[in-house]
Amino acid sequence: MLSKEFLTQRGYCCGHGCLMCPYEPKHQKGNTMLEVINCFKKDNPLIQKKLRRVTVEEGYDIARKLFQILNKRGDGIGLAANQVGIDASVAVVNVKEPIVLINPKIVKKEEETRYYEGCLSFPKKGCHTKRYKTVEVEVDNMESNMTFGAGDTDLDLLESVCVQHEIDHLNGMRILDRAMELTIRRDKPKIGRNEPCPCGSGKKYKKCCIGK
């Protein structure tokens, strides 16, 4: 029997009804797995669009596809539907455990924090963003709200930030839109090494107060 890993690496469905077929819909010859759209190389008209609400059943079908893509890539911890060209308010997160977010909405957030993030849609273009340590999220696929970041570990914070990141995607918001300016602004102009020292000694700055 062919392994699931082999079938995934092959990149398409043969249509022969393999029991471990990772493609959706299954057993359609030539059916390929969706891929994350690199927005630096290809236009993604959905990346800045608020996505449509879906039923829970449709949401779980899409979530399965998103997990397949994450598993195949092996370099991500979260993925939203519009990152692969699907107009649906569905995202998945896999930091501590697999989580499905269908039509999610953040209803409570606490304690601002700065976090350095990356994004599969904008590879090698990380930036600092303003996030929240703890968030409470309402989803259609759970009866009660979900709380993220309540613990004190790095993984708790990472999971919370990842959830916020993916929900941003579903609302058409990119990390580039949240990038924080980290430029250092000086109260006084910088003094050149060869300029007169501001202390009034008459010496050049580099031979007077530069090290003080």
Side-chain angles (χ1 to χ4, degrees):
M1 178 185 292
L2 298 177
S3 69
K4 185 175 181 179
E5 288 73 20
F6 173 83
L7 293 169
T8 300
Q9 290 174 3
R10 182 172 58 188
Y12 63 91
C13 178
C14 63
H16 291 159
C18 303
L19 293 176
M20 297 295 289
C21 182
Y23 303 100
E24 294 289 349
K26 294 180 182 297
H27 316 320
Q28 291 189 10
K29 189 173 182 179
N31 182 36
T32 57
M33 187 180 292
L34 294 169
E35 294 183 348
V36 178
I37 299 171
N38 183 338
C39 292
F40 290 134
K41 297 181 178 180
K42 186 178 178 181
D43 179 53
N44 183 351
L46 298 177
I47 202 67
Q48 289 183 280
K49 175 185 176 182
K50 183 175 177 61
L51 304 182
R52 68 180 179 89
R53 294 178 62 84
V54 296
T55 64
V56 172
E57 182 181 6
E58 182 182 1
Y60 275 124
D61 286 340
I62 293 170
R64 279 191 286 271
K65 296 178 183 179
L66 298 180
F67 276 127
Q68 288 173 359
I69 296 167
L70 279 183
N71 291 337
K72 180 182 177 182
R73 289 181 59 103
D75 62 348
I77 56 174
L79 192 63
N82 58 344
Q83 292 182 268
V84 299
I86 300 175
D87 184 2
S89 187
V90 181
V92 297
V93 170
N94 193 6
V95 177
K96 298 193 297 181
E97 61 181 351
I99 294 170
V100 176
L101 304 169
I102 300 176
N103 304 321
K105 178 182 178 182
I106 295 177
V107 294
K108 187 177 180 180
K109 47 194 177 184
E110 297 178 351
E111 195 175 335
E112 274 188 20
T113 187
R114 191 179 75 185
Y115 207 89
Y116 187 80
E117 299 180 49
C119 181
L120 297 178
S121 296
F122 301 92
K124 300 181 181 180
K125 186 66 175 179
C127 61
H128 286 92
T129 62
K130 183 182 75 173
R131 293 299 185 186
Y132 294 88
K133 182 179 180 297
T134 307
V135 291
E136 183 178 329
V137 179
E138 178 183 277
V139 293
D140 283 0
N141 52 305
M142 297 284 287
E143 290 185 3
S144 57
N145 291 351
M146 308 171 73
T147 299
F148 301 96
D152 294 324
T153 69
D154 290 341
L155 278 182
D156 289 320
L157 178 58
L158 176 60
E159 185 177 60
S160 176
V161 170
C162 186
V163 167
Q164 294 171 68
H165 179 114
E166 301 309 332
I167 291 177
D168 267 356
H169 272 307
L170 305 183
N171 290 314
M173 178 75 71
R174 312 164 303 167
I175 59 168
L176 303 180
D177 299 320
R178 289 196 180 275
M180 296 177 65
E181 183 180 354
L182 299 178
T183 304
I184 299 175
R185 300 187 181 279
R186 302 177 183 274
D187 294 331
K188 297 180 181 179
K190 183 178 179 180
I191 304 169
R193 290 170 54 84
N194 293 313
E195 292 181 10
C197 186
C199 73
S201 66
K203 299 179 182 179
K204 290 184 178 180
Y205 183 50
K206 67 181 180 180
K207 293 185 177 180
C208 190
C209 297
I210 191 171
K212 295 181 181 180

